[in-house]
Amino acid sequence: MKNILICVLLLCLSASCQEVKELDPTPREFDQKMTLVPTDTLTIPIGHRSDVYSRYVKASIINNIPYLGVVNVNTNDLEFYALSDKGEDFKVRFHLDGPNAVGQLKAFEVISDSTLFIASSYRIRLYVTDFEGNLKKTIETHDTSRNGKPFVQMYYTQSPLVYHKDMDDFYVFTRVDTDYFSPGIWSGTMFLKIQNRDDESITHMFELPSRFNKYVYSGYFSHSSHVLVDDRHLVFGVPFYNNILVYDLEKETLIERKAGSKHFGDALPWDNPDMGRDEEFYVTSNSYRELAYDEQNKLLYRLAYRKVDYIGPNGQQRNWDNKLPSVVILDSNFKKVGEVDLPKNTIHTRMYFTHNGKLYLSLNHPDNNPSEDEMVFVGFKPEKL
């Protein structure tokens, strides 16, 4: 009997330790070898029907000229702003009806100097168009079966569309189509792989670790981020998880690398989910969100957010733009080499891109917006310490 009690005790201790190992809110140690230094301000004038708060911006190269592509939901245009004196601004208008209809524009990826990959409000298909908005091909995705729960294509995350030029493959972000307030939202595969060839074969890939299945965090924690690194690794950042997940597209293997904040590690799940307190739980929890890759310097950036009180000292309710941001820096081996705190209520971190070896972050913060007629970005240059 005594031996049985000892075994039970050891099993309980083992399970407890395993739970702590899975999610640990304490920050991990690292060596600060790099920092970010603000060096310049980029100002982009926009039209009166444009918006400084686009949900999707992305730097792209077209005809060897760098552009910032901006989705304008007001006009259903894709606006391209030249980031070099060699180019001129232009836009692509997409149609809601007629032979070239693609629906309400949500996201894009540049395939070549003449073609675009488009995601829209029709989340059961994708489109290939030219730069005149003419429809070249429609890719149906809703018939693709998935193990476990059904899926839905998601476009309110960062870089929902990824194009691998060498392999001529598309990667589309998906998620379980289920309740945010129940277990299972972080389960199964996270991407559709679409081969841009005649057969257009579609497969589900990038399966999350099964231990994530039970966690519940609410809808605000659904805003994740991912990025393609050097046409080899698809890197995924889970908004509550200290580590990043790195998927090797050649070996089809998944590894983890420490990429948490110096202020906190993992964010803990919601014990008693309440739909009416969704935003409050997010604002008062630590979290991670955006990923950006600087190809020139071979650096990966991850945005981390420290929690704040839901009601500020002046009695005003806070939202996710009022959390305290910092930028985690990782080298080419996905090793953390630095972290830089950003000023509060100043940087609108949901609009960002990399260009000329710098990380550009928007200064159009809703609480301190310098202009309604211009997109304003500050460029941060990485420097060794």
Side-chain angles (χ1 to χ4, degrees), residues 107 109 117-120 122-127 139 141 146 151-155 157-164 169-175 189-195 202-206 226 234 236:
E109 177 72 295
F117 188 43
I118 297 297
S120 75
Y122 302 135
R123 293 196 290 179
I124 59 172
R125 59 182 65 96
L126 298 154
Y127 305 94
I139 303 173
T141 58
R146 178 185 187 273
F151 74 98
V152 62
Q153 292 160 204
M154 305 299 291
Y155 304 139
T157 187
Q158 276 67 39
S159 302
L161 307 180
V162 173
Y163 178 58
H164 192 305
D169 290 333
F170 301 116
Y171 298 92
V172 183
F173 181 60
T174 66
R175 178 169 288 135
T189 52
M190 301 302 289
F191 291 89
L192 282 179
K193 177 183 177 181
I194 305 173
Q195 295 181 329
I202 302 175
T203 55
H204 290 274
M205 45 103 49
F206 202 124
H226 56 271
L234 189 57
F236 184 67

Side-chain angles (χ1 to χ4, degrees), residues 61-67 84 86 113:
I61 302 296
I62 304 170
N63 292 318
N64 296 318
I65 298 173
Y67 287 90
S84 166
K86 297 180 180 179
D113 294 337

